[in-house]
Amino acid sequence: PAGLVVHPAAGNWEGTLQNALLHADPGLAALPRSGIVHRLDKDTSGLLIVARSLPAHTALVRMLEERAIHREYEAVCRGVMTAGGTVDAPIDRHPVDRVRMAVREGGRAAVSHYRVIKRFRAHTHLRVQLETGRTHQIRVHLSHIGFPLVGDRVYGGRLALPKGATEDLRAALRAFPRQALHAARLRFEHPVTGQPVECAAPLPSDLRDLLAALARDAAAA
């Protein structure tokens, strides 16, 4: 097994992905979730691990639980971060809106490490490393510290257009169709050979276009 690049999709993207995997390898029908080891949020692009045997699936799930799989994301958030840091804040279901997650005392432990890749006038391009893997973890943690993801209507609220933004950037922000989050890198030991496996997925075109618009806005300022 290796990495599989998944691009944003509407509707039941995981069901669609499982059908595609089964078409490529009917033997995956014998594995839980057609061999998919972990989830991505709907409308998050990037890498997933897919196992092709039950022993590999069992081993990879255990590695995930033991935090032995390095997962790194790239994100674009609202606001200008002065430096990187760590969010160590437990996550549980929102007390009122059960579709959402929230930072809550008594929730499950959740730790995210973030580093600045590039700052713009009113946004930041980040690298985020997960120590745990809670539902919506990056989105919840960044919103909790006041830097919600661009395009995240669940945790970031309504569209925010920065004061003085170029019309080019305003159009790009209005058109961006999802949360600006991409699973960029995975690193783990092969469950059979023990050899290191590293996978990387380049940024998709929508995120590249957004970053280009942010750079042009910064240059214009």
Side-chain angles (χ1 to χ4, degrees):
L4 179 68
V5 177
V6 179
H7 292 284
N12 182 16
W13 70 264
E14 187 171 332
T16 301
L17 174 60
Q18 288 189 39
N19 288 336
L21 289 168
L22 290 171
H23 179 75
D25 183 357
L28 292 175
L31 276 65
R33 298 172 58 228
S34 304
I36 299 173
V37 174
H38 62 104
R39 287 181 167 87
L40 290 179
D41 292 352
K42 176 187 171 185
D43 293 334
T44 293
S45 58
L47 293 164
L48 283 172
I49 301 173
V50 179
R52 298 186 67 187
S53 71
L54 188 56
H57 187 275
T58 300
L60 287 163
V61 169
R62 183 173 63 251
M63 290 163 62
L64 195 65
E65 292 171 346
E66 294 173 351
R67 306 182 186 181
I69 297 178
H70 173 91
R71 288 172 291 166
E72 190 175 290
Y73 290 70
E74 289 191 32
V76 181
C77 69
R78 297 195 333 239
V80 181
M81 288 187 170
T82 57
T86 295
V87 184
D88 185 350
I91 291 176
D92 204 347
R93 289 284 171 191
H94 192 281
V96 177
D97 185 350
R98 305 302 289 177
V99 176
R100 301 174 60 195
M101 308 300 288
V103 169
R104 296 187 65 189
E105 186 176 349
R108 300 180 70 188
V111 181
S112 306
H113 308 282
Y114 59 93
R115 297 293 180 268
V116 173
I117 298 175
K118 188 171 184 178
R119 299 177 186 87
F120 301 97
R121 284 199 315 115
H123 298 82
T124 308
H125 181 195
L126 297 173
R127 180 174 291 114
V128 184
Q129 180 183 337
L130 288 182
E131 195 170 308
T132 54
R134 307 305 175 211
T135 301
H136 299 176
Q137 178 172 317
I138 293 173
R139 299 164 64 191
V140 171
H141 273 173
L142 290 179
S143 179
H144 176 68
I145 62 172
F147 295 93
L149 293 179
V150 168
D152 192 342
R153 306 295 187 260
V154 176
Y155 298 103
R158 294 184 299 175
L159 173 67
L161 299 174
K163 184 177 180 180
T166 61
E167 189 52 44
D168 172 43
L169 177 58
R170 294 167 71 89
L173 291 170
R174 288 193 186 100
F176 198 76
R178 62 185 181 98
Q179 65 265 8
L181 184 62
H182 176 72
R185 295 167 191 83
L186 288 169
R187 187 170 68 248
F188 55 95
E189 289 187 359
H190 192 285
V192 176
T193 67
Q195 295 298 309
V197 177
E198 294 192 24
C199 308
L203 291 176
S205 58
D206 61 349
L207 265 173
R208 293 198 307 270
D209 291 346
L210 175 63
L211 289 167
L214 289 166
R216 290 191 297 269
D217 175 79

